[in-house]
PDB file of all heavy atoms in Angstrom:
ATOM      1  N   PRO A   1     -14.883  -7.443   9.347  1.00 73.00           N
ATOM      2  CA  PRO A   1     -13.730  -7.732   8.443  1.00 73.00           C
ATOM      3  C   PRO A   1     -12.556  -6.827   8.836  1.00 73.00           C
ATOM      4  O   PRO A   1     -12.662  -5.524   8.784  1.00 73.00           O
ATOM      5  CB  PRO A   1     -14.253  -7.463   7.006  1.00 73.00           C
ATOM      6  CG  PRO A   1     -15.708  -7.517   7.165  1.00 73.00           C
ATOM      7  CD  PRO A   1     -16.091  -6.994   8.475  1.00 73.00           C
ATOM      8  N   LYS A   2     -11.460  -7.429   9.183  1.00 79.00           N
ATOM      9  CA  LYS A   2     -10.222  -6.694   9.570  1.00 79.00           C
ATOM     10  C   LYS A   2      -9.047  -7.465   9.066  1.00 79.00           C
ATOM     11  O   LYS A   2      -9.054  -8.709   9.014  1.00 79.00           O
ATOM     12  CB  LYS A   2     -10.146  -6.377  11.051  1.00 79.00           C
ATOM     13  CG  LYS A   2     -11.092  -5.402  11.580  1.00 79.00           C
ATOM     14  CD  LYS A   2     -10.923  -5.172  12.998  1.00 79.00           C
ATOM     15  CE  LYS A   2     -11.958  -4.192  13.596  1.00 79.00           C
ATOM     16  NZ  LYS A   2     -11.695  -3.855  15.081  1.00 79.00           N
ATOM     17  N   ALA A   3      -7.933  -6.773   8.888  1.00 80.00           N
ATOM     18  CA  ALA A   3      -6.713  -7.462   8.486  1.00 80.00           C
ATOM     19  C   ALA A   3      -5.547  -6.631   8.938  1.00 80.00           C
ATOM     20  O   ALA A   3      -5.620  -5.353   9.047  1.00 80.00           O
ATOM     21  CB  ALA A   3      -6.533  -7.739   6.991  1.00 80.00           C
ATOM     22  N   ALA A   4      -4.463  -7.275   9.370  1.00 87.00           N
ATOM     23  CA  ALA A   4      -3.260  -6.539   9.770  1.00 87.00           C
ATOM     24  C   ALA A   4      -1.986  -7.218   9.154  1.00 87.00           C
ATOM     25  O   ALA A   4      -2.019  -8.422   9.086  1.00 87.00           O
ATOM     26  CB  ALA A   4      -3.153  -6.610  11.300  1.00 87.00           C
ATOM     27  N   PHE A   5      -1.038  -6.393   8.755  1.00 89.00           N
ATOM     28  CA  PHE A   5       0.236  -6.819   8.257  1.00 89.00           C
ATOM     29  C   PHE A   5       1.312  -6.335   9.099  1.00 89.00           C
ATOM     30  O   PHE A   5       1.868  -5.187   8.868  1.00 89.00           O
ATOM     31  CB  PHE A   5       0.369  -6.379   6.780  1.00 89.00           C
ATOM     32  CG  PHE A   5      -0.790  -6.760   5.865  1.00 89.00           C
ATOM     33  CD1 PHE A   5      -1.821  -5.761   5.742  1.00 89.00           C
ATOM     34  CD2 PHE A   5      -0.819  -8.008   5.243  1.00 89.00           C
ATOM     35  CE1 PHE A   5      -2.850  -6.201   4.897  1.00 89.00           C
ATOM     36  CE2 PHE A   5      -1.891  -8.226   4.478  1.00 89.00           C
ATOM     37  CZ  PHE A   5      -3.011  -7.399   4.244  1.00 89.00           C
ATOM     38  N   PRO A   6       1.708  -6.961  10.152  1.00 91.00           N
ATOM     39  CA  PRO A   6       2.715  -6.524  10.953  1.00 91.00           C
ATOM     40  C   PRO A   6       4.071  -6.443  10.367  1.00 91.00           C
ATOM     41  O   PRO A   6       5.029  -5.799  10.928  1.00 91.00           O
ATOM     42  CB  PRO A   6       2.700  -7.452  12.233  1.00 91.00           C
ATOM     43  CG  PRO A   6       2.188  -8.728  11.694  1.00 91.00           C
ATOM     44  CD  PRO A   6       1.205  -8.360  10.506  1.00 91.00           C
ATOM     45  N   ALA A   7       4.368  -7.215   9.390  1.00 90.00           N
ATOM     46  CA  ALA A   7       5.687  -7.328   8.741  1.00 90.00           C
ATOM     47  C   ALA A   7       5.819  -6.431   7.558  1.00 90.00           C
ATOM     48  O   ALA A   7       4.693  -6.009   7.067  1.00 90.00           O
ATOM     49  CB  ALA A   7       6.048  -8.761   8.440  1.00 90.00           C
ATOM     50  N   PRO A   8       6.909  -6.180   7.061  1.00 93.00           N
ATOM     51  CA  PRO A   8       7.012  -5.359   5.752  1.00 93.00           C
ATOM     52  C   PRO A   8       6.229  -6.034   4.647  1.00 93.00           C
ATOM     53  O   PRO A   8       6.224  -7.296   4.549  1.00 93.00           O
ATOM     54  CB  PRO A   8       8.532  -5.319   5.451  1.00 93.00           C
ATOM     55  CG  PRO A   8       9.189  -5.474   6.854  1.00 93.00           C
ATOM     56  CD  PRO A   8       8.262  -6.427   7.645  1.00 93.00           C
ATOM     57  N   LEU A   9       5.601  -5.207   3.880  1.00 91.00           N
ATOM     58  CA  LEU A   9       4.773  -5.750   2.753  1.00 91.00           C
ATOM     59  C   LEU A   9       5.101  -4.967   1.512  1.00 91.00           C
ATOM     60  O   LEU A   9       5.731  -3.835   1.416  1.00 91.00           O
ATOM     61  CB  LEU A   9       3.307  -5.458   3.183  1.00 91.00           C
ATOM     62  CG  LEU A   9       2.797  -4.082   3.367  1.00 91.00           C
ATOM     63  CD1 LEU A   9       2.280  -3.526   2.094  1.00 91.00           C
ATOM     64  CD2 LEU A   9       1.657  -3.973   4.466  1.00 91.00           C
ATOM     65  N   SER A  10       4.678  -5.577   0.379  1.00 89.00           N
ATOM     66  CA  SER A  10       4.772  -4.969  -0.905  1.00 89.00           C
ATOM     67  C   SER A  10       3.286  -4.966  -1.535  1.00 89.00           C
ATOM     68  O   SER A  10       2.506  -5.914  -1.286  1.00 89.00           O
ATOM     69  CB  SER A  10       5.664  -5.773  -1.838  1.00 89.00           C
ATOM     70  OG  SER A  10       5.250  -7.018  -2.030  1.00 89.00           O
ATOM     71  N   TYR A  11       3.031  -3.933  -2.226  1.00 83.00           N
ATOM     72  CA  TYR A  11       1.740  -3.804  -2.852  1.00 83.00           C
ATOM     73  C   TYR A  11       1.827  -3.395  -4.279  1.00 83.00           C
ATOM     74  O   TYR A  11       2.713  -2.602  -4.748  1.00 83.00           O
ATOM     75  CB  TYR A  11       0.923  -2.753  -2.107  1.00 83.00           C
ATOM     76  CG  TYR A  11      -0.336  -2.270  -2.749  1.00 83.00           C
ATOM     77  CD1 TYR A  11      -1.492  -2.972  -2.511  1.00 83.00           C
ATOM     78  CD2 TYR A  11      -0.447  -1.238  -3.638  1.00 83.00           C
ATOM     79  CE1 TYR A  11      -2.758  -2.781  -3.168  1.00 83.00           C
ATOM     80  CE2 TYR A  11      -1.593  -0.893  -4.213  1.00 83.00           C
ATOM     81  CZ  TYR A  11      -2.757  -1.613  -4.025  1.00 83.00           C
ATOM     82  OH  TYR A  11      -3.907  -1.303  -4.752  1.00 83.00           O
ATOM     83  N   GLN A  12       0.992  -3.879  -5.144  1.00 84.00           N
ATOM     84  CA  GLN A  12       0.929  -3.406  -6.476  1.00 84.00           C
ATOM     85  C   GLN A  12      -0.609  -3.453  -7.006  1.00 84.00           C
ATOM     86  O   GLN A  12      -1.397  -4.217  -6.569  1.00 84.00           O
ATOM     87  CB  GLN A  12       1.771  -4.368  -7.426  1.00 84.00           C
ATOM     88  CG  GLN A  12       1.149  -5.750  -7.690  1.00 84.00           C
ATOM     89  CD  GLN A  12       1.886  -6.542  -8.838  1.00 84.00           C
ATOM     90  OE1 GLN A  12       1.919  -5.837  -9.881  1.00 84.00           O
ATOM     91  NE2 GLN A  12       2.247  -7.702  -8.627  1.00 84.00           N
ATOM     92  N   ASP A  13      -0.761  -2.583  -8.107  1.00 77.00           N
ATOM     93  CA  ASP A  13      -1.971  -2.635  -8.803  1.00 77.00           C
ATOM     94  C   ASP A  13      -1.690  -2.119 -10.174  1.00 77.00           C
ATOM     95  O   ASP A  13      -0.515  -2.015 -10.603  1.00 77.00           O
ATOM     96  CB  ASP A  13      -3.180  -1.881  -8.168  1.00 77.00           C
ATOM     97  CG  ASP A  13      -2.849  -0.303  -7.993  1.00 77.00           C
ATOM     98  OD1 ASP A  13      -1.996   0.138  -8.677  1.00 77.00           O
ATOM     99  OD2 ASP A  13      -3.500   0.345  -7.200  1.00 77.00           O
ATOM    100  N   GLN A  14      -2.661  -1.776 -11.014  1.00 74.00           N
ATOM    101  CA  GLN A  14      -2.420  -1.493 -12.480  1.00 74.00           C
ATOM    102  C   GLN A  14      -1.680  -0.096 -12.560  1.00 74.00           C
ATOM    103  O   GLN A  14      -1.193   0.300 -13.621  1.00 74.00           O
ATOM    104  CB  GLN A  14      -3.681  -1.420 -13.257  1.00 74.00           C
ATOM    105  CG  GLN A  14      -4.771  -0.408 -12.682  1.00 74.00           C
ATOM    106  CD  GLN A  14      -6.001  -0.426 -13.500  1.00 74.00           C
ATOM    107  OE1 GLN A  14      -5.990  -0.889 -14.655  1.00 74.00           O
ATOM    108  NE2 GLN A  14      -7.094  -0.050 -12.952  1.00 74.00           N
ATOM    109  N   ARG A  15      -1.729   0.747 -11.470  1.00 72.00           N
ATOM    110  CA  ARG A  15      -1.162   2.026 -11.568  1.00 72.00           C
ATOM    111  C   ARG A  15       0.198   2.171 -10.773  1.00 72.00           C
ATOM    112  O   ARG A  15       0.918   3.045 -11.232  1.00 72.00           O
ATOM    113  CB  ARG A  15      -2.151   3.049 -10.872  1.00 72.00           C
ATOM    114  CG  ARG A  15      -3.514   3.223 -11.550  1.00 72.00           C
ATOM    115  CD  ARG A  15      -4.340   4.195 -10.844  1.00 72.00           C
ATOM    116  NE  ARG A  15      -3.721   5.451 -10.741  1.00 72.00           N
ATOM    117  CZ  ARG A  15      -4.117   6.506  -9.954  1.00 72.00           C
ATOM    118  NH1 ARG A  15      -5.076   6.343  -9.103  1.00 72.00           N
ATOM    119  NH2 ARG A  15      -3.383   7.599  -9.924  1.00 72.00           N
ATOM    120  N   MET A  16       0.405   1.365  -9.805  1.00 76.00           N
ATOM    121  CA  MET A  16       1.611   1.721  -8.966  1.00 76.00           C
ATOM    122  C   MET A  16       2.157   0.441  -8.278  1.00 76.00           C
ATOM    123  O   MET A  16       1.467  -0.600  -8.223  1.00 76.00           O
ATOM    124  CB  MET A  16       1.239   2.765  -7.851  1.00 76.00           C
ATOM    125  CG  MET A  16       0.156   2.260  -6.905  1.00 76.00           C
ATOM    126  SD  MET A  16      -0.125   3.310  -5.606  1.00 76.00           S
ATOM    127  CE  MET A  16       1.507   3.455  -4.919  1.00 76.00           C
ATOM    128  N   LEU A  17       3.339   0.575  -7.736  1.00 83.00           N
ATOM    129  CA  LEU A  17       4.069  -0.331  -6.839  1.00 83.00           C
ATOM    130  C   LEU A  17       4.397   0.332  -5.601  1.00 83.00           C
ATOM    131  O   LEU A  17       4.635   1.550  -5.545  1.00 83.00           O
ATOM    132  CB  LEU A  17       5.281  -0.820  -7.487  1.00 83.00           C
ATOM    133  CG  LEU A  17       5.279  -1.352  -8.933  1.00 83.00           C
ATOM    134  CD1 LEU A  17       6.737  -1.738  -9.378  1.00 83.00           C
ATOM    135  CD2 LEU A  17       4.417  -2.695  -9.075  1.00 83.00           C
ATOM    136  N   ALA A  18       4.210  -0.335  -4.437  1.00 84.00           N
ATOM    137  CA  ALA A  18       4.494   0.272  -3.169  1.00 84.00           C
ATOM    138  C   ALA A  18       5.003  -0.722  -2.129  1.00 84.00           C
ATOM    139  O   ALA A  18       4.657  -1.935  -2.264  1.00 84.00           O
ATOM    140  CB  ALA A  18       3.197   0.969  -2.713  1.00 84.00           C
ATOM    141  N   THR A  19       5.832  -0.286  -1.231  1.00 91.00           N
ATOM    142  CA  THR A  19       6.202  -1.036  -0.081  1.00 91.00           C
ATOM    143  C   THR A  19       5.941  -0.244   1.156  1.00 91.00           C
ATOM    144  O   THR A  19       5.865   0.916   1.096  1.00 91.00           O
ATOM    145  CB  THR A  19       7.692  -1.431  -0.183  1.00 91.00           C
ATOM    146  OG1 THR A  19       8.414  -0.241  -0.039  1.00 91.00           O
ATOM    147  CG2 THR A  19       8.113  -2.142  -1.340  1.00 91.00           C
ATOM    148  N   ALA A  20       5.688  -1.046   2.311  1.00 93.00           N
ATOM    149  CA  ALA A  20       5.401  -0.409   3.525  1.00 93.00           C
ATOM    150  C   ALA A  20       6.018  -1.289   4.640  1.00 93.00           C
ATOM    151  O   ALA A  20       6.070  -2.483   4.483  1.00 93.00           O
ATOM    152  CB  ALA A  20       3.884  -0.165   3.771  1.00 93.00           C
ATOM    153  N   GLN A  21       6.223  -0.609   5.777  1.00 94.00           N
ATOM    154  CA  GLN A  21       6.843  -1.457   6.945  1.00 94.00           C
ATOM    155  C   GLN A  21       5.750  -2.184   7.587  1.00 94.00           C
ATOM    156  O   GLN A  21       5.993  -3.330   8.071  1.00 94.00           O
ATOM    157  CB  GLN A  21       7.492  -0.430   7.920  1.00 94.00           C
ATOM    158  CG  GLN A  21       8.715   0.161   7.436  1.00 94.00           C
ATOM    159  CD  GLN A  21       9.826  -0.824   7.008  1.00 94.00           C
ATOM    160  OE1 GLN A  21      10.099  -1.672   7.846  1.00 94.00           O
ATOM    161  NE2 GLN A  21      10.381  -0.759   5.883  1.00 94.00           N
ATOM    162  N   SER A  22       4.438  -1.671   7.583  1.00 92.00           N
ATOM    163  CA  SER A  22       3.356  -2.500   8.285  1.00 92.00           C
ATOM    164  C   SER A  22       2.127  -1.752   7.657  1.00 92.00           C
ATOM    165  O   SER A  22       2.172  -0.743   7.017  1.00 92.00           O
ATOM    166  CB  SER A  22       3.450  -2.422   9.689  1.00 92.00           C
ATOM    167  OG  SER A  22       3.355  -1.027  10.183  1.00 92.00           O
ATOM    168  N   GLY A  23       1.021  -2.492   7.984  1.00 88.00           N
ATOM    169  CA  GLY A  23      -0.288  -1.928   7.531  1.00 88.00           C
ATOM    170  C   GLY A  23      -1.454  -2.597   8.170  1.00 88.00           C
ATOM    171  O   GLY A  23      -1.266  -3.723   8.615  1.00 88.00           O
ATOM    172  N   THR A  24      -2.552  -1.945   8.208  1.00 84.00           N
ATOM    173  CA  THR A  24      -3.881  -2.577   8.710  1.00 84.00           C
ATOM    174  C   THR A  24      -4.990  -2.180   7.786  1.00 84.00           C
ATOM    175  O   THR A  24      -4.895  -1.203   7.005  1.00 84.00           O
ATOM    176  CB  THR A  24      -4.161  -1.961  10.025  1.00 84.00           C
ATOM    177  OG1 THR A  24      -4.318  -0.557  10.034  1.00 84.00           O
ATOM    178  CG2 THR A  24      -3.142  -2.354  11.089  1.00 84.00           C
ATOM    179  N   TRP A  25      -6.004  -3.019   7.870  1.00 75.00           N
ATOM    180  CA  TRP A  25      -7.295  -2.719   7.146  1.00 75.00           C
ATOM    181  C   TRP A  25      -8.445  -3.111   7.852  1.00 75.00           C
ATOM    182  O   TRP A  25      -8.498  -4.063   8.593  1.00 75.00           O
ATOM    183  CB  TRP A  25      -7.195  -3.560   5.748  1.00 75.00           C
ATOM    184  CG  TRP A  25      -8.433  -3.397   4.908  1.00 75.00           C
ATOM    185  CD1 TRP A  25      -8.815  -2.440   4.015  1.00 75.00           C
ATOM    186  CD2 TRP A  25      -9.612  -4.305   5.087  1.00 75.00           C
ATOM    187  NE1 TRP A  25     -10.014  -2.580   3.557  1.00 75.00           N
ATOM    188  CE2 TRP A  25     -10.523  -3.747   4.163  1.00 75.00           C
ATOM    189  CE3 TRP A  25      -9.933  -5.394   5.740  1.00 75.00           C
ATOM    190  CZ2 TRP A  25     -11.794  -4.325   3.917  1.00 75.00           C
ATOM    191  CZ3 TRP A  25     -11.106  -5.978   5.587  1.00 75.00           C
ATOM    192  CH2 TRP A  25     -12.119  -5.467   4.646  1.00 75.00           C
ATOM    193  N   SER A  26      -9.530  -2.266   7.649  1.00 74.00           N
ATOM    194  CA  SER A  26     -10.836  -2.677   8.276  1.00 74.00           C
ATOM    195  C   SER A  26     -11.933  -2.073   7.411  1.00 74.00           C
ATOM    196  O   SER A  26     -11.739  -1.089   6.657  1.00 74.00           O
ATOM    197  CB  SER A  26     -10.980  -2.078   9.669  1.00 74.00           C
ATOM    198  OG  SER A  26     -11.101  -0.677   9.679  1.00 74.00           O
ATOM    199  N   ALA A  27     -13.094  -2.720   7.524  1.00 63.00           N
ATOM    200  CA  ALA A  27     -14.210  -2.264   6.671  1.00 63.00           C
ATOM    201  C   ALA A  27     -14.669  -0.825   7.018  1.00 63.00           C
ATOM    202  O   ALA A  27     -15.226  -0.079   6.255  1.00 63.00           O
ATOM    203  CB  ALA A  27     -15.402  -3.238   6.746  1.00 63.00           C
ATOM    204  N   ASP A  28     -14.536  -0.505   8.327  1.00 68.00           N
ATOM    205  CA  ASP A  28     -14.960   0.791   8.931  1.00 68.00           C
ATOM    206  C   ASP A  28     -14.074   1.835   8.770  1.00 68.00           C
ATOM    207  O   ASP A  28     -14.287   2.961   8.311  1.00 68.00           O
ATOM    208  CB  ASP A  28     -15.459   0.676  10.317  1.00 68.00           C
ATOM    209  CG  ASP A  28     -16.596  -0.306  10.573  1.00 68.00           C
ATOM    210  OD1 ASP A  28     -17.389  -0.395   9.662  1.00 68.00           O
ATOM    211  OD2 ASP A  28     -16.637  -1.018  11.575  1.00 68.00           O
ATOM    212  N   ASP A  29     -12.716   1.593   9.029  1.00 72.00           N
ATOM    213  CA  ASP A  29     -11.734   2.624   8.966  1.00 72.00           C
ATOM    214  C   ASP A  29     -10.839   2.648   7.753  1.00 72.00           C
ATOM    215  O   ASP A  29      -9.973   3.530   7.701  1.00 72.00           O
ATOM    216  CB  ASP A  29     -10.810   2.411  10.206  1.00 72.00           C
ATOM    217  CG  ASP A  29     -11.590   2.414  11.491  1.00 72.00           C
ATOM    218  OD1 ASP A  29     -12.620   3.222  11.571  1.00 72.00           O
ATOM    219  OD2 ASP A  29     -11.222   1.812  12.530  1.00 72.00           O
ATOM    220  N   GLY A  30     -10.941   1.736   6.892  1.00 68.00           N
ATOM    221  CA  GLY A  30     -10.101   1.754   5.669  1.00 68.00           C
ATOM    222  C   GLY A  30      -8.766   1.070   5.937  1.00 68.00           C
ATOM    223  O   GLY A  30      -8.600   0.220   6.816  1.00 68.00           O
ATOM    224  N   THR A  31      -7.782   1.524   5.172  1.00 75.00           N
ATOM    225  CA  THR A  31      -6.453   1.007   5.226  1.00 75.00           C
ATOM    226  C   THR A  31      -5.416   2.055   5.781  1.00 75.00           C
ATOM    227  O   THR A  31      -5.533   3.209   5.433  1.00 75.00           O
ATOM    228  CB  THR A  31      -5.993   0.549   3.860  1.00 75.00           C
ATOM    229  OG1 THR A  31      -6.927  -0.386   3.332  1.00 75.00           O
ATOM    230  CG2 THR A  31      -4.642  -0.099   3.845  1.00 75.00           C
ATOM    231  N   LEU A  32      -4.530   1.603   6.609  1.00 84.00           N
ATOM    232  CA  LEU A  32      -3.468   2.442   7.096  1.00 84.00           C
ATOM    233  C   LEU A  32      -2.070   1.759   6.751  1.00 84.00           C
ATOM    234  O   LEU A  32      -1.929   0.606   7.249  1.00 84.00           O
ATOM    235  CB  LEU A  32      -3.615   2.732   8.591  1.00 84.00           C
ATOM    236  CG  LEU A  32      -2.412   3.607   9.156  1.00 84.00           C
ATOM    237  CD1 LEU A  32      -2.499   4.955   8.625  1.00 84.00           C
ATOM    238  CD2 LEU A  32      -2.640   3.580  10.687  1.00 84.00           C
ATOM    239  N   LEU A  33      -1.280   2.414   5.981  1.00 87.00           N
ATOM    240  CA  LEU A  33       0.021   1.934   5.659  1.00 87.00           C
ATOM    241  C   LEU A  33       1.079   2.759   6.335  1.00 87.00           C
ATOM    242  O   LEU A  33       0.933   3.993   6.381  1.00 87.00           O
ATOM    243  CB  LEU A  33       0.316   1.858   4.180  1.00 87.00           C
ATOM    244  CG  LEU A  33      -0.627   0.935   3.354  1.00 87.00           C
ATOM    245  CD1 LEU A  33      -0.310   1.093   1.809  1.00 87.00           C
ATOM    246  CD2 LEU A  33      -0.624  -0.450   3.814  1.00 87.00           C
ATOM    247  N   ASN A  34       2.095   2.258   6.888  1.00 92.00           N
ATOM    248  CA  ASN A  34       3.173   3.064   7.602  1.00 92.00           C
ATOM    249  C   ASN A  34       4.516   2.850   6.791  1.00 92.00           C
ATOM    250  O   ASN A  34       4.936   1.766   6.282  1.00 92.00           O
ATOM    251  CB  ASN A  34       3.337   2.435   8.965  1.00 92.00           C
ATOM    252  CG  ASN A  34       2.092   2.440   9.786  1.00 92.00           C
ATOM    253  OD1 ASN A  34       1.475   3.456   9.927  1.00 92.00           O
ATOM    254  ND2 ASN A  34       1.675   1.245  10.305  1.00 92.00           N
ATOM    255  N   GLN A  35       5.209   4.044   6.782  1.00 94.00           N
ATOM    256  CA  GLN A  35       6.539   4.205   6.088  1.00 94.00           C
ATOM    257  C   GLN A  35       6.454   3.566   4.694  1.00 94.00           C
ATOM    258  O   GLN A  35       6.970   2.455   4.394  1.00 94.00           O
ATOM    259  CB  GLN A  35       7.599   3.404   6.989  1.00 94.00           C
ATOM    260  CG  GLN A  35       7.773   3.832   8.373  1.00 94.00           C
ATOM    261  CD  GLN A  35       8.135   5.320   8.399  1.00 94.00           C
ATOM    262  OE1 GLN A  35       8.902   5.769   7.595  1.00 94.00           O
ATOM    263  NE2 GLN A  35       7.643   5.969   9.411  1.00 94.00           N
ATOM    264  N   VAL A  36       5.795   4.313   3.790  1.00 91.00           N
ATOM    265  CA  VAL A  36       5.395   3.861   2.537  1.00 91.00           C
ATOM    266  C   VAL A  36       6.434   4.462   1.326  1.00 91.00           C
ATOM    267  O   VAL A  36       6.758   5.606   1.512  1.00 91.00           O
ATOM    268  CB  VAL A  36       4.047   4.322   2.081  1.00 91.00           C
ATOM    269  CG1 VAL A  36       3.541   3.820   0.647  1.00 91.00           C
ATOM    270  CG2 VAL A  36       2.980   3.839   3.100  1.00 91.00           C
ATOM    271  N   LEU A  37       6.796   3.474   0.503  1.00 89.00           N
ATOM    272  CA  LEU A  37       7.613   3.913  -0.687  1.00 89.00           C
ATOM    273  C   LEU A  37       6.756   3.497  -1.908  1.00 89.00           C
ATOM    274  O   LEU A  37       6.237   2.506  -1.904  1.00 89.00           O
ATOM    275  CB  LEU A  37       8.945   3.284  -0.778  1.00 89.00           C
ATOM    276  CG  LEU A  37       9.975   3.447   0.347  1.00 89.00           C
ATOM    277  CD1 LEU A  37      11.208   2.662   0.124  1.00 89.00           C
ATOM    278  CD2 LEU A  37      10.234   4.983   0.393  1.00 89.00           C
ATOM    279  N   PHE A  38       6.590   4.381  -2.921  1.00 80.00           N
ATOM    280  CA  PHE A  38       5.826   4.055  -4.035  1.00 80.00           C
ATOM    281  C   PHE A  38       6.487   4.361  -5.341  1.00 80.00           C
ATOM    282  O   PHE A  38       7.303   5.328  -5.379  1.00 80.00           O
ATOM    283  CB  PHE A  38       4.385   4.697  -3.990  1.00 80.00           C
ATOM    284  CG  PHE A  38       4.268   6.100  -4.147  1.00 80.00           C
ATOM    285  CD1 PHE A  38       4.158   6.650  -5.440  1.00 80.00           C
ATOM    286  CD2 PHE A  38       4.489   6.965  -3.050  1.00 80.00           C
ATOM    287  CE1 PHE A  38       4.116   8.004  -5.525  1.00 80.00           C
ATOM    288  CE2 PHE A  38       4.490   8.307  -3.201  1.00 80.00           C
ATOM    289  CZ  PHE A  38       4.331   8.902  -4.510  1.00 80.00           C
ATOM    290  N   GLN A  39       5.992   3.818  -6.396  1.00 81.00           N
ATOM    291  CA  GLN A  39       6.497   4.130  -7.778  1.00 81.00           C
ATOM    292  C   GLN A  39       5.370   3.919  -8.718  1.00 81.00           C
ATOM    293  O   GLN A  39       4.693   2.953  -8.788  1.00 81.00           O
ATOM    294  CB  GLN A  39       7.562   3.100  -8.102  1.00 81.00           C
ATOM    295  CG  GLN A  39       8.769   3.673  -8.806  1.00 81.00           C
ATOM    296  CD  GLN A  39       9.863   2.678  -9.112  1.00 81.00           C
ATOM    297  OE1 GLN A  39       9.651   1.565  -9.312  1.00 81.00           O
ATOM    298  NE2 GLN A  39      11.211   3.045  -8.863  1.00 81.00           N
ATOM    299  N   MET A  40       5.098   4.890  -9.581  1.00 75.00           N
ATOM    300  CA  MET A  40       3.992   4.955 -10.567  1.00 75.00           C
ATOM    301  C   MET A  40       4.405   4.011 -11.765  1.00 75.00           C
ATOM    302  O   MET A  40       5.565   4.198 -12.263  1.00 75.00           O
ATOM    303  CB  MET A  40       3.640   6.337 -11.045  1.00 75.00           C
ATOM    304  CG  MET A  40       3.268   7.286  -9.849  1.00 75.00           C
ATOM    305  SD  MET A  40       2.257   6.569  -8.620  1.00 75.00           S
ATOM    306  CE  MET A  40       0.728   6.348  -9.542  1.00 75.00           C
ATOM    307  N   ARG A  41       3.552   3.198 -12.124  1.00 75.00           N
ATOM    308  CA  ARG A  41       3.945   2.158 -13.181  1.00 75.00           C
ATOM    309  C   ARG A  41       4.010   2.877 -14.548  1.00 75.00           C
ATOM    310  O   ARG A  41       4.550   2.334 -15.524  1.00 75.00           O
ATOM    311  CB  ARG A  41       3.089   1.067 -13.221  1.00 75.00           C
ATOM    312  CG  ARG A  41       3.149   0.195 -11.901  1.00 75.00           C
ATOM    313  CD  ARG A  41       2.246  -1.077 -11.881  1.00 75.00           C
ATOM    314  NE  ARG A  41       2.659  -2.012 -12.890  1.00 75.00           N
ATOM    315  CZ  ARG A  41       2.199  -3.338 -13.024  1.00 75.00           C
ATOM    316  NH1 ARG A  41       1.285  -3.669 -12.131  1.00 75.00           N
ATOM    317  NH2 ARG A  41       2.649  -4.090 -13.859  1.00 75.00           N
ATOM    318  N   ASP A  42       3.243   3.988 -14.705  1.00 68.00           N
ATOM    319  CA  ASP A  42       3.243   4.659 -16.022  1.00 68.00           C
ATOM    320  C   ASP A  42       4.404   5.573 -16.155  1.00 68.00           C
ATOM    321  O   ASP A  42       4.564   6.345 -17.150  1.00 68.00           O
ATOM    322  CB  ASP A  42       1.916   5.438 -16.224  1.00 68.00           C
ATOM    323  CG  ASP A  42       1.723   6.522 -15.183  1.00 68.00           C
ATOM    324  OD1 ASP A  42       2.634   6.705 -14.370  1.00 68.00           O
ATOM    325  OD2 ASP A  42       0.688   7.050 -15.127  1.00 68.00           O
ATOM    326  N   GLY A  43       5.392   5.595 -15.191  1.00 64.00           N
ATOM    327  CA  GLY A  43       6.577   6.398 -15.314  1.00 64.00           C
ATOM    328  C   GLY A  43       6.449   7.840 -14.882  1.00 64.00           C
ATOM    329  O   GLY A  43       7.268   8.616 -15.171  1.00 64.00           O
ATOM    330  N   ARG A  44       5.340   8.170 -14.187  1.00 66.00           N
ATOM    331  CA  ARG A  44       5.177   9.553 -13.777  1.00 66.00           C
ATOM    332  C   ARG A  44       5.808   9.943 -12.456  1.00 66.00           C
ATOM    333  O   ARG A  44       5.823  11.059 -12.113  1.00 66.00           O
ATOM    334  CB  ARG A  44       3.584   9.813 -13.609  1.00 66.00           C
ATOM    335  CG  ARG A  44       2.850   9.576 -14.948  1.00 66.00           C
ATOM    336  CD  ARG A  44       1.379  10.037 -14.760  1.00 66.00           C
ATOM    337  NE  ARG A  44       0.647   9.921 -15.970  1.00 66.00           N
ATOM    338  CZ  ARG A  44      -0.495  10.541 -16.210  1.00 66.00           C
ATOM    339  NH1 ARG A  44      -1.101  11.228 -15.349  1.00 66.00           N
ATOM    340  NH2 ARG A  44      -1.188  10.365 -17.316  1.00 66.00           N
ATOM    341  N   GLY A  45       6.522   8.985 -11.849  1.00 74.00           N
ATOM    342  CA  GLY A  45       7.185   9.485 -10.636  1.00 74.00           C
ATOM    343  C   GLY A  45       7.209   8.446  -9.527  1.00 74.00           C
ATOM    344  O   GLY A  45       6.601   7.368  -9.580  1.00 74.00           O
ATOM    345  N   ASN A  46       7.745   8.880  -8.346  1.00 81.00           N
ATOM    346  CA  ASN A  46       7.826   8.034  -7.210  1.00 81.00           C
ATOM    347  C   ASN A  46       7.880   8.872  -6.019  1.00 81.00           C
ATOM    348  O   ASN A  46       8.056  10.150  -6.149  1.00 81.00           O
ATOM    349  CB  ASN A  46       9.020   7.065  -7.265  1.00 81.00           C
ATOM    350  CG  ASN A  46      10.261   7.909  -7.384  1.00 81.00           C
ATOM    351  OD1 ASN A  46      10.858   8.365  -6.267  1.00 81.00           O
ATOM    352  ND2 ASN A  46      10.895   8.087  -8.559  1.00 81.00           N
TER     353      ASN A  46
END
């Protein structure tokens, strides 16, 4: 299992919002995001 996001992406979950210029994922190596901006949804910062 592998995935790649060569284009800019946006990410969210119950804790945070994030954008990245690109990213990859694999079952062995985990996830790598490049040029990341994030914002905590509970207002704790960015």
